[in-house]
Amino acid sequence: MIEIKSPGELDAMRAAGLVVAKSLAAVAAAARAGVSTAELDEIAEQTIRDAGAVPSFKGYHGFPASICASVNEQIVHGIPSKSQVLADGDLISVDCGAILDDWHGDSAVTLFVGTISDADQALSDATKASMLAGIEAIRPGNRLTDISHAVETSVHSSERADGRTYGIVREYGGHGIGSSMHMDPFLPNYGKPGKGPRLRVGMAIAIEPMLTLGAEETVELEDGWTVVTADGSRAAHWEHTVAVTDDGPWVLTAPE
């Protein structure tokens, strides 16, 4: 069963999405050399709570923080830590969720610290472009894997333009979202078009491609959360919560 939201419920999700957008903006402004990921987590949590919302991630299946802070070879679910201090040249993906009036917003951005490499910039740009391509495929009557195919096609287009190969992480992907953070359907970031349920007005889906500068294989660390690239290559992660409407995709976590 895929949850169908009323217009009023989508408005409530938009309010939650704006909290997430504001929190990510606050984190982005603070992400610089010498700042720990734990400090970034404190900033995000305070921003969320000041808005009258609750962090979605904190306590979720035991996760101990309000954001996932994944640095360099970490792909997703990185646990913020006082001992992980950002340095010049670092790449950090920040995933954030908030609950407001029982509705969820979920979004992620990839940030840079100081001077970055051309490869890291291209990686992040390719990941973001694939997310935007997936968003464009969120239209009533399309099939779920039309989104997957749009993401993958965009990645391959970036590969040709950049003259390099990107690993598309396969174990993790997008998901339905609404009255819970993770709901049906699961959305792969690759695949043939025309498969899966038809998209209907009122559905909301979190689109979140994750790409690497190397292979697609991943390893989960002993903390039970942090997922890293198996080959040590760097990774990027972008995500938006998007609603299906008669007028096309509505990005609920876009900044105001």
Side-chain angles (χ1 to χ4, degrees):
M1 297 293 293
I2 301 176
E3 185 176 76
I4 304 296
K5 269 71 77 172
S6 69
E9 290 168 338
L10 289 181
D11 286 340
M13 287 188 67
R14 171 58 173 158
L18 285 172
V19 174
V20 174
K22 186 176 181 180
S23 300
L24 287 173
V27 169
R32 59 186 180 273
V35 174
S36 73
T37 53
E39 290 176 275
L40 297 181
D41 181 65
E42 291 171 3
I43 290 169
E45 180 171 359
Q46 191 62 54
T47 305
I48 291 169
R49 295 194 186 279
D50 285 350
V54 176
S56 303
F57 297 175
K58 196 163 190 177
Y60 184 75
H61 294 297
F63 190 77
S66 297
I67 61 171
C68 298
S70 305
V71 180
N72 296 335
E73 78 281 0
Q74 298 173 353
I75 304 169
V76 286
H77 305 159
I79 300 174
S81 169
K82 292 180 180 179
S83 63
Q84 187 158 49
V85 178
L86 298 177
D88 186 72
D90 279 346
L91 173 155
I92 175 172
S93 295
V94 181
D95 196 350
C96 181
I99 310 167
L100 183 64
D101 296 329
D102 298 323
W103 293 97
H104 288 253
D106 188 7
S107 183
V109 296
T110 292
L111 307 172
F112 300 107
V113 181
T115 304
I116 61 168
S117 70
D118 290 342
D120 285 350
Q121 183 68 67
L123 171 67
S124 178
D125 289 347
T127 309
K128 185 176 182 180
S130 69
M131 175 191 68
L132 295 175
I135 290 172
E136 281 301 308
I138 295 188
R139 298 184 181 277
N142 279 1
R143 296 280 190 180
L144 181 70
T145 66
D146 292 339
I147 306 171
S148 307
H149 186 68
V151 170
E152 182 180 14
T153 299
S154 175
V155 173
H156 295 323
S157 177
S158 292
E159 288 176 328
R160 291 189 294 272
D162 299 342
R164 66 177 77 244
T165 299
Y166 297 114
I168 301 176
V169 175
R170 293 176 176 252
E171 292 99 325
Y172 304 90
H175 52 89
I177 183 171
S179 57
S180 297
M181 182 164 59
H182 291 119
M183 311 180 75
D184 288 336
F186 174 73
L187 175 65
N189 287 312
Y190 64 94
K192 296 180 179 180
K195 299 181 182 297
R198 288 199 181 277
L199 303 182
R200 294 173 53 193
V201 171
M203 289 181 178
I205 299 172
I207 299 180
E208 50 178 324
M210 290 150 260
L211 303 183
T212 78
L213 280 174
E216 65 192 34
E217 287 77 19
T218 69
V219 175
E220 185 178 272
L221 299 186
E222 291 183 359
D223 63 20
W225 285 101
T226 308
V227 178
V228 303
T229 57
D231 60 6
S233 62
R234 292 193 169 195
H237 176 202
W238 283 87
E239 177 184 17
H240 268 312
T241 296
V242 187
V244 184
T245 79
D246 283 321
D247 297 323
W250 181 17
V251 183
L252 301 174
T253 45
E256 193 167 26

